[in-house]
Amino acid sequence: MLKRFKSILLDNYIYLCLVALLSSNVLIYHLANIYLEESIVGYLRMVLKALINYLAGMFIPVCILIALELLNINILVRVYRYTSIIAYYIIFIVDTFLYIKFDSFLDQAKLEILLSADPETSREFLDLYVLDSLLWIIVCIIATAWLLKKLMSYILCKRECLLKIFYVSALSFMLLGIRSYVNLGGNELFLSNFYRDSSVGRVIIDTYSTIKQIGEYSHVYDKLNNNNEYVIEDCGDVPYIVFVLGESEDRNKMSAYGYANKTTPFLDKRLRTGEAILFTDTIACANYTTRAMQLIFSFCEKDSSNPWYEYGNLLDIFNKCGYETIWISNQSPVGRYGNMDKIMSTVASKGKFTSISGGSNGDDNTRARDSEILPLLDDSLGNNEGERKFYVIHLEGVHEDYRLRYPNDFSAFTESDEEGTNLKWNKVKAEYDNAVLYNDYILDEIIKKFEHKNAVVVYISDHGSEVYDGRDFVGHSSEEYGNKHMIEIPMFIWGSNEYWQSHGEMKKNLYAAKDNPYCTENIIHLVLDIAKIKTSSYERDKSILSPDNIYFSKPRIYGNAEYVK
């Protein structure tokens, strides 16, 4: 049997060497935080651990290959070899790109974004990040192929070393497995040796987890339509409740929060007149739109055990209370899995979109700007005046590519208005500021539609965005590699004169709570407070209005650490 194993390894020498070389991104995965070590011993320990994990990860494809060879089905062996090499190569290139651009790897967060994004968002991502680095990507692919060829020509004469490497790999696998099983059980045994140490295994598991988390539409709809949430009390007396969800807005880039550039003049004015109340310590519940929306619109929280769609949701609650629920969005409802706009607009009484595939004018270089939401809002306001209405307006906001978010006449800021000497960085910073300015204008136009009605408007952004804030990075990443700019979001509540006059106590309570710590995973409780609705999952202490606000005692976790303002 040992001779058979040896023969299999030597016959597949080239394949196994390619897998070993293309799995080197596992080393990067384990050494990503080596800079945090403060001693030589710490460095050496981390390097040794990374090498052991890398070798352990090699054991799995070797075992699969041996099993197929022992079955004596040559076609299966060939298919496995070719498909797995292609998979390892693609993941190696993608991981390298993501690590250079985003300081992270292909993981569940990236896959959720990929599977949920509409085509135009995907195109803009490619335009902003991939096409900008296309030459380097091509060079990387060619260089990798050339290096592999050179290395292969060298190691072809080192065939006997393969057996020693395999034995070390098997030993590493067993050592890690025993340690993981003893310390954390069988689940950690699986995760340690298949997820963290095998790039293909990581992508397979994360893809499965992503599809499970997001859920296919039919399954999601079935769960949403059969949830057990029920209304305990409905004392709602506000004809118009409007929830506006922004996109990628960092409150640190808003003049309303003290930013030097006057990026929010309209909001600044409404704050001075007392029409609006600004909340100063609210953070986003997630770094990316899909997950943020799942938590914002349902009772699901970051540490909840079940998928988000198994919990009661905001649209369904307002439906049960007899409101006309209207979803208006400038984000396309196109996506194979889990596009939240498509799902939630289906739950609403009416769903309205500026387009279903991007810019409605047909220009490939633009997509619908947020001004195109305004006619859709006008249309919905003209109907059923006597009925209570709950609006959700989902903006494109200040999503990258920032220069596409605003028309030319909102190009108020240039490189010279930004701090720092890097002209490339300052250009993008100015574009972001202009996008924030235009977002402020759109919000003001939405508010104008309700000035003469009994109405209240709640605004938050789904998450923030980093724009060269101390490092060469634009956008938002996974929490582990993020910073405060990705989660420190704006939140304000505006009320019409009629609303404030009839809800003086609410205004007083909101002012008292404006500096309280909060996280948008629980904003559903605040919206229900404003609507004077209580349901089976509503909890008073999860509203920012509560004197016993849960975040006075519960830490807000971001990137596996407590967030501190």
Side-chain angles (χ1 to χ4, degrees):
M1 182 61 75
L2 287 176
K3 287 184 178 180
R4 176 63 173 143
F5 283 166
K6 181 177 180 179
S7 174
I8 291 172
L9 292 173
L10 295 178
D11 289 344
N12 292 278
Y13 181 66
I14 294 177
Y15 164 78
L16 294 172
C17 288
L18 283 172
V19 170
L21 292 170
L22 292 173
S23 297
S24 58
N25 51 346
V26 172
L27 289 172
I28 301 174
Y29 181 85
H30 286 286
L31 293 173
N33 294 319
I34 195 170
Y35 65 92
L36 297 175
E37 294 293 339
E38 298 178 351
S39 66
I40 297 296
V41 174
Y43 275 106
L44 293 175
R45 184 187 297 114
M46 182 168 281
V47 170
L48 180 61
K49 181 181 177 182
L51 287 172
I52 292 175
N53 282 91
Y54 165 68
L55 292 169
M58 281 293 299
F59 185 72
I60 295 168
V62 172
C63 288
I64 295 174
L65 180 66
I66 290 174
L68 293 174
E69 286 277 11
L70 291 174
L71 290 173
N72 287 319
I73 306 177
N74 292 331
I75 185 67
L76 281 181
V77 173
R78 287 197 296 271
V79 169
Y80 171 72
R81 282 194 306 222
Y82 285 121
T83 54
S84 60
I85 284 296
I86 291 171
Y88 275 104
Y89 186 66
I90 291 173
I91 294 170
F92 177 84
I93 295 297
V94 172
D95 270 351
T96 302
F97 170 75
L98 290 174
Y99 187 74
I100 292 171
K101 275 289 184 182
F102 301 102
D103 200 25
S104 62
F105 302 91
L106 184 60
D107 54 19
Q108 185 173 342
K110 310 296 184 306
L111 289 165
E112 284 195 21
I113 294 170
L114 176 66
L115 292 176
S116 300
D118 62 86
E120 190 64 17
T121 296
S122 300
R123 189 200 64 77
E124 287 184 2
F125 175 86
L126 292 172
D127 183 47
L128 182 64
Y129 294 113
V130 179
L131 296 181
D132 179 58
S133 307
L134 185 59
L135 178 61
W136 290 108
I137 293 172
I138 293 173
V139 169
C140 180
I141 292 172
I142 295 173
T144 302
W146 177 83
L147 183 61
L148 287 174
K149 182 179 178 181
K150 288 292 183 182
L151 287 172
M152 290 306 300
S153 64
Y154 170 74
I155 59 181
L156 277 173
C157 59
K158 305 289 184 181
R159 222 172 254 253
E160 290 298 325
C161 294
L162 184 64
L163 290 176
K164 297 177 183 178
I165 293 174
F166 171 72
Y167 296 145
V168 175
S169 173
L171 179 62
S172 300
F173 182 89
M174 287 186 288
L175 288 174
L176 284 177
I178 292 170
R179 185 201 65 183
S180 302
Y181 186 82
V182 170
N183 291 340
L184 297 168
N187 185 56
E188 184 62 20
L189 167 66
F190 179 74
L191 290 175
S192 290
N193 296 305
F194 191 62
Y195 178 81
R196 299 188 184 99
D197 305 328
S198 170
S199 56
V200 172
R202 164 167 46 92
V203 173
I204 290 172
I205 293 172
D206 278 343
T207 300
Y208 170 78
S209 298
T210 297
I211 293 174
K212 180 182 178 183
Q213 171 63 38
I214 296 175
E216 290 198 59
Y217 290 133
S218 58
H219 179 64
V220 173
Y221 292 146
D222 179 63
K223 292 291 185 180
L224 287 173
N225 292 329
N226 292 282
N227 71 76
N228 296 319
E229 192 70 22
Y230 58 91
V231 177
I232 297 173
E233 180 179 286
D234 175 16
C235 300
D237 57 356
V238 186
Y240 297 92
I241 300 175
V242 185
F243 186 90
V244 183
L245 182 63
E247 170 76 49
S248 303
E249 188 164 31
D250 172 15
R251 68 169 180 251
N252 300 289
K253 306 298 171 55
M254 299 171 64
S255 55
Y257 285 90
Y259 185 54
N261 291 341
K262 297 299 180 183
T263 52
T264 55
F266 298 103
L267 176 59
D268 295 344
K269 182 179 179 180
R270 293 190 183 277
L271 290 171
R272 287 194 299 269
T273 61
E275 300 172 52
I277 300 169
L278 192 72
F279 294 81
T280 64
D281 192 12
T282 298
I283 65 169
C285 51
N287 265 26
Y288 55 100
T289 302
T290 299
R291 186 56 176 162
M293 291 180 69
Q294 290 170 357
L295 303 183
I296 287 168
F297 290 105
S298 75
F299 286 109
C300 183
E301 299 178 3
K302 291 183 76 170
D303 57 358
S304 295
S305 56
N306 295 329
W308 70 274
Y309 45 79
E310 294 185 5
Y311 297 85
N313 68 84
L314 200 56
L315 275 296
D316 183 60
I317 291 168
F318 277 98
N319 285 337
K320 288 175 179 176
C321 290
Y323 283 75
E324 181 183 18
T325 53
I326 303 161
W327 185 279
I328 302 176
S329 177
N330 191 27
Q331 300 211 15
S332 176
V334 178
R336 174 66 181 91
Y337 290 101
N339 183 293
M340 287 297 293
D341 275 276
K342 178 174 181 177
I343 292 171
M344 298 312 295
S345 68
T346 304
V347 178
S349 309
K350 296 178 182 177
K352 297 174 178 287
F353 292 87
T354 56
S355 82
I356 59 170
S357 60
S360 61
N361 58 9
D363 184 354
D364 287 339
N365 294 319
T366 63
R367 64 194 302 174
R369 293 197 178 97
D370 283 333
S371 58
E372 295 194 30
I373 272 181
L374 301 176
L376 300 180
L377 182 55
D378 287 334
D379 289 343
S380 66
L381 284 169
N383 301 322
N384 303 324
E385 280 292 334
E387 188 175 5
R388 293 185 300 177
K389 296 186 179 185
F390 175 67
Y391 288 88
V392 174
I393 302 175
H394 191 189
L395 303 176
E396 188 67 19
V398 289
H399 193 286
E400 67 268 28
D401 189 346
Y402 311 126
R403 59 194 168 90
L404 300 182
R405 301 285 81 82
Y406 57 90
N408 290 334
D409 51 350
F410 277 82
S411 300
F413 304 104
T414 63
E415 297 92 320
S416 61
D417 297 306
E418 306 299 330
E419 294 182 358
T421 57
N422 189 310
L423 293 180
K424 175 190 173 184
W425 290 16
N426 287 353
K427 181 177 183 295
V428 178
K429 287 180 180 180
E431 291 169 352
Y432 186 85
D433 285 354
N434 290 329
V436 173
L437 176 65
Y438 185 65
N439 189 72
D440 182 57
Y441 161 76
I442 294 297
L443 287 169
D444 198 64
E445 290 299 303
I446 291 172
I447 288 173
K448 285 179 180 177
K449 309 286 185 187
F450 297 94
E451 282 182 323
H452 302 295
K453 301 179 183 295
N454 185 357
V456 60
V457 176
V458 179
Y459 172 75
I460 62 169
S461 182
D462 57 355
H463 53 77
S465 187
E466 182 179 353
V467 187
Y468 297 120
D469 295 296
R471 61 176 176 170
D472 187 3
F473 183 83
V474 177
H476 48 101
S477 65
S478 60
E479 287 193 12
E480 289 73 16
Y481 300 99
N483 64 22
K484 68 174 187 177
H485 294 277
M486 298 182 191
I487 59 164
E488 290 189 347
I489 58 166
M491 173 171 149
F492 71 81
I493 296 176
W494 171 91
S496 64
N497 289 333
E498 184 177 352
Y499 175 77
W500 289 135
Q501 287 173 6
S502 57
H503 295 83
E505 189 67 22
M506 175 63 71
K507 189 172 187 179
K508 177 183 175 182
N509 292 338
L510 288 169
Y511 264 117
K514 68 183 182 65
D515 297 319
N516 289 352
Y518 206 51
C519 179
T520 54
E521 68 177 338
N522 281 320
I523 199 164
I524 187 172
H525 301 274
L526 170 61
V527 175
L528 292 179
D529 265 349
I530 292 171
K532 298 182 180 180
I533 294 172
K534 293 181 181 179
T535 70
S536 51
S537 297
Y538 165 81
E539 295 181 51
R540 172 65 173 168
D541 63 355
K542 291 184 178 180
S543 169
I544 198 172
L545 291 174
S546 172
D548 302 316
N549 176 1
I550 192 171
Y551 295 110
F552 285 135
S553 57
K554 174 186 175 181
R556 292 173 290 177
I557 303 300
Y558 177 67
N560 298 320
E562 181 178 356
Y563 165 80
V564 179
K565 183 180 176 184

